[in-house]
Structures are given as structure tokens and as C-alpha cells.
Amino acid sequence: MGGAVFAADCRARLAFEVIANRWDSVVVHVLGERGPMRPRALLDRIGGISPKVLNEALRRLEYNGLVEHRRYAEAPPRVDYALTRAGTALLGPIRALGAWAAEHGDAVLASQESHGARRV
């Protein structure tokens, strides 16, 4: 990371933007855990996500080159989603964030609670 860290053209900033969405990392994690999946299977596996929000996440992930959708010439038509090489490479950092959350999540939640309704 040469130059000004986190400048507008910084690649690290790009990475943060890619994983900033609440659901994108979850979708990548599930696809990494289970392999290619159909949208209905993703909905069943990921709790609390609507079909619309899942579709938006999949489109965003595809736009960013992290997932690819594959169409099959079957009747009825079938589509599934799989991680690309870049998406698979993102699993390590996502798992590291998950480990951080497991270790420090209680402290973060306690701090949020101690600050009450005050938001940053």
C-alpha cells in the first residue's frame, strides 16, 4: 500500500467498500462453506434476509467479481451462484473478522449498551 494510506485510489479502501455491506460477507461466507447454491437454498441458509436483498447482494457481488451465476439449460431453468477466485480469496479475511467478532463481540456490545441511545 504505497502512497497515502486510504486515499481515494487506495486498494485497501476498495476492499473495505466491497465488504462493507451487511449481507455481502454473509453470502460469500455461505457460498464458501457450502459451494455453489441456488438462490432459494441461500435464502434458507441465511436467516433474516429477504429475496430482494439477497438478489441485490448477489448482483453487487457479481459486479465486484466475487461471485458468478451459472445458468443451466434445463426445464425448469436453473441458476446457481458460486464464488470466483477473488471471492474464494476473500474467505480468509472474512473468517478473520468472524474470529475477531467472536473474541471481542461481547465487549463491543457492552460498550454500545453503556452509551445507550447515543449514536456516532
Side-chain angles (χ1 to χ4, degrees), residues 21-67:
N21 183 278
R22 170 183 182 174
W23 294 108
D24 291 6
S25 297
V26 174
V27 172
V28 169
H29 182 277
V30 170
L31 289 172
E33 174 185 77
R34 300 287 174 115
M37 295 179 79
R38 297 176 77 171
R40 182 75 237 169
L42 282 165
L43 282 170
D44 292 344
R45 179 71 179 119
I46 301 171
I49 189 169
S50 71
K52 178 182 183 258
V53 172
L54 175 62
N55 188 49
E56 291 169 354
L58 289 167
R59 286 181 186 205
R60 199 171 30 254
L61 290 167
E62 187 174 12
Y63 172 81
N64 285 317
L66 301 176
V67 302

Side-chain angles (χ1 to χ4, degrees), residues 4-117:
V5 178
F6 304 116
D9 61 348
C10 175
R11 296 292 174 120
R13 189 166 152 180
L14 172 68
F16 293 128
E17 289 173 7
V18 166
I19 64 170
N21 183 278
R22 170 183 182 174
W23 294 108
D24 291 6
S25 297
V26 174
V27 172
V28 169
H29 182 277
V30 170
L31 289 172
E33 174 185 77
R34 300 287 174 115
M37 295 179 79
R38 297 176 77 171
R40 182 75 237 169
L42 282 165
L43 282 170
D44 292 344
R45 179 71 179 119
I46 301 171
I49 189 169
S50 71
K52 178 182 183 258
V53 172
L54 175 62
N55 188 49
E56 291 169 354
L58 289 167
R59 286 181 186 205
R60 199 171 30 254
L61 290 167
E62 187 174 12
Y63 172 81
N64 285 317
L66 301 176
V67 302
E68 61 184 1
H69 78 274
R70 302 182 292 195
R71 297 175 196 265
Y72 297 89
E74 299 176 355
R78 178 171 64 106
V79 174
D80 68 19
Y81 290 86
L83 293 178
T84 62
R85 188 169 151 224
T88 301
L90 190 56
L91 290 170
I94 288 173
R95 289 177 179 142
L97 284 170
W100 176 88
E103 183 175 342
H104 300 286
D106 289 341
V108 171
L109 292 172
S111 180
Q112 289 175 355
E113 188 173 306
S114 73
H115 286 88

